[in-house]
Amino acid sequence: MNQQTILVTGGAGYIGSHACIELLQAGFNVVVVDNLCNSKTEALSRVQQITDKTLTFYQHDIRDKAALADIFAKEAISSVMHFAGLKAVGESCEKPALYYHNNVYGTLVLTEVMAEANVKQLVFSSSATVYGECGCTQYAENFPLGPINPYGRSKAMVEDILRDLSAADTINQAKSPWKIALLRYFNPIGAHESGLIGEDPNGIPNNLLPYIAQVAIGKLTQLSVFGNDYPTPDGTGIRDYIHVVDLVKGHIKAIATLEGDAFGPGGCKAYNLGTGRGYSVLEIIDTFQKVTGQAINYKIAPRRAGDLAECFANPELALKELDWQAEKNLADMVADTWNWQTKNPQGYMQ
Ligand code: NAD
Ligand code: WQD
């Protein structure tokens, strides 16, 4: 059994809670820090129920340096999975300073505390949204970056900071250099197969799958399909949807890779986490209807500002260097989304 302790920032959130399950099941000790600004402790109770294991929870903001340092003093942390952050693109345009403060400054505080505690292994939640428009549809890690909203820029800034911290170790000939994996997620969807944990968005969802699920269960009346005049086979937007459980398995592989010889003594590398295959909005609706037997009421609406026609991952580097690839298909993703939605129509609010 692996008795290493992993600090999971944002561990009460959608992806972080799924990561806690995988970590506990793989035999790691798990310490969560979360300020609960977009989550509930019920998610952590359910993580413990699913795994029949316990984790340690600290309710703090990662920008609270003293509180964070105290966690590192108390717990024998070996690596950090850093999920804590704000993620709503629209809100980031209205409140950019909030996003930079939370996502960028929050990561600066975290890395300062980590360096002071000499814990220098980090897996960071980045996003495919850091890529710039390049006229292409399939994105590889070496493609140019060029995010188009404050949320995306906050992720790109953090990536820059982490690359710089790593580069400085080379200049300074650091004895224990940073080992950092920047994981660029495509479109995470789905839920744990138990149906006990899943995505619990506040208010009306922005993302496609939670919206469809709420239409199917009758909380929302109609889905708007944003544009059917894109240069794609059926005219609707194409994305690379990835099951959240596959996604978090990529994080476990990343921790193992950082610790392995192949990664070298230190460094900071980006990896796409996607399936490498895209589906259109109409294909998603069709699959949802077939898998769940629920009719989805939808209409064609104008394009949404900032949306690309098509975006999917080149996932080859993650396969080669992390020994990871997605295993679940779209029907699994939809079935698990629906299982979570039907078992928890009000999310974590009972
Ligand atoms: P989420 O909102 O469900 O989880 C984020 C968690 O971080 C929440 O529990 C929230 O309370 C916590 N948090 C936020 N700011 C904090 C702070 N300052 N201190 C302590 N805790 C804080 O989001 P998620 O979907 O689980 O996303 C996790 C990470 O993955 C985020 O960094 C997000 O930007 C990134 N990401 C998400 C997606 C996606 O589509 N869900 C895609 C790409 C990248
Ligand atoms: C998917 C497709 C929409 C809603 C966003 C963020 C990105 C990342 C993942 C964090 C698109 C269409 C959607 C609806 C629709 N998050 N759609 N009607 O935009 O690819 O990515 O989430 O890093 O940063 O931008 O995901 O789920 O919003 O949209 O037609 O009501 O569904 O136009 O083609 P997106 P999404």
Side-chain angles (χ1 to χ4, degrees):
M1 285 290 266
N2 193 326
Q3 281 304 314
Q4 286 183 61
T5 300
I6 310 295
L7 177 66
V8 183
T9 77
Y14 169 46
I15 303 171
S17 57
H18 286 84
C20 289
I21 290 182
E22 287 304 314
L23 284 166
L24 288 167
Q25 287 179 339
F28 290 94
N29 295 321
V30 172
V31 175
V32 168
V33 59
D34 197 305
N35 66 359
L36 304 179
C37 70
N38 196 37
S39 53
K40 303 197 173 59
T41 50
E42 178 63 17
L44 296 175
S45 304
R46 294 190 187 185
V47 164
Q48 297 180 104
Q49 184 188 336
I50 291 165
T51 58
D52 200 20
K53 293 186 176 183
T54 54
L55 54 72
T56 306
F57 172 56
Y58 292 92
Q59 185 178 346
H60 293 306
D61 193 301
I62 56 162
R63 291 166 291 183
D64 181 342
K65 188 172 177 189
L68 214 49
D70 198 44
I71 296 175
F72 278 84
K74 284 191 184 129
E75 312 284 349
I77 292 160
S78 59
S79 300
V80 176
M81 285 189 190
H82 178 29
F83 297 96
L86 300 176
K87 62 166 181 175
V89 171
E91 184 187 52
S92 81
C93 298
E94 289 156 22
K95 302 175 184 169
L98 175 69
Y99 272 66
Y100 293 125
H101 200 265
N102 199 79
N103 295 1
V104 181
Y105 176 67
T107 306
L108 274 176
V109 173
L110 173 68
T111 52
E112 262 174 48
V113 173
M114 287 178 70
E116 283 163 21
N118 202 29
V119 175
K120 295 178 76 178
Q121 288 198 155
L122 175 65
V123 178
F124 172 62
S125 299
S126 189
S127 169
T129 204
V130 297
Y131 289 116
E133 250 187 282
C134 56
C136 46
T137 53
Q138 187 176 29
Y139 290 79
E141 290 82 353
N142 57 0
F143 281 22
L145 305 189
I148 57 164
N149 54 63
Y151 165 69
R153 280 190 281 275
S154 77
K155 290 288 173 189
M157 284 177 193
V158 169
E159 284 204 2
D160 277 339
I161 289 167
L162 296 176
R163 274 187 286 271
D164 286 345
L165 288 179
S166 174
D169 277 343
T170 310
I171 297 166
N172 300 327
Q173 298 179 332
K175 281 206 188 82
S176 52
W178 283 100
K179 292 181 167 191
I180 303 172
L182 312 170
L183 302 185
R184 295 180 181 156
Y185 311 161
F186 280 68
N187 289 59
I189 61 169
H192 189 261
E193 60 180 6
S194 64
L196 284 171
I197 65 166
E199 189 169 10
D200 181 16
N202 276 328
I204 296 175
N206 297 310
N207 296 115
L208 182 63
L209 257 294
Y211 204 106
I212 292 180
Q214 292 198 13
V215 170
I217 206 154
K219 280 177 84 178
L220 296 170
T221 52
Q222 189 175 49
L223 170 74
S224 291
V225 174
F226 297 141
N228 68 347
D229 56 353
Y230 284 107
T232 60
D234 66 21
T236 66
I238 291 179
R239 296 291 182 276
D240 186 337
Y241 297 93
I242 174 168
H243 197 295
V244 64
V245 172
D246 276 337
L247 185 84
V248 298
K249 285 183 174 164
H251 293 63
I252 310 274
K253 291 283 194 173
I255 293 270
T257 303
L258 293 182
E259 284 172 354
D261 293 337
F263 196 82
C268 177
K269 283 198 80 169
Y271 297 97
N272 285 340
L273 295 188
T275 65
R277 144 135 227 208
Y279 288 95
S280 74
V281 177
L282 292 181
E283 285 176 312
I284 298 287
I285 295 171
D286 186 52
T287 306
F288 199 98
Q289 295 187 137
K290 284 193 178 123
V291 168
T292 68
Q294 303 294 312
I296 302 300
N297 179 22
Y298 72 89
K299 65 169 184 199
I300 303 299
R303 291 182 181 191
R304 183 173 67 178
D307 274 354
L308 294 171
E310 186 165 358
C311 169
F312 58 97
N314 177 334
E316 284 168 19
L317 192 66
L319 177 59
K320 187 168 160 236
E321 297 193 4
L322 304 182
D323 183 30
W324 171 89
Q325 63 184 329
E327 284 166 3
K328 291 177 185 279
N329 63 27
L330 186 61
D332 300 326
M333 302 184 214
V334 166
D336 288 337
T337 300
W338 186 235
N339 185 33
W340 154 253
Q341 181 69 67
T342 48
K343 285 186 171 147
N344 306 270
Q346 307 305 327
Y348 288 113
M349 302 285 283
Q350 292 303 306

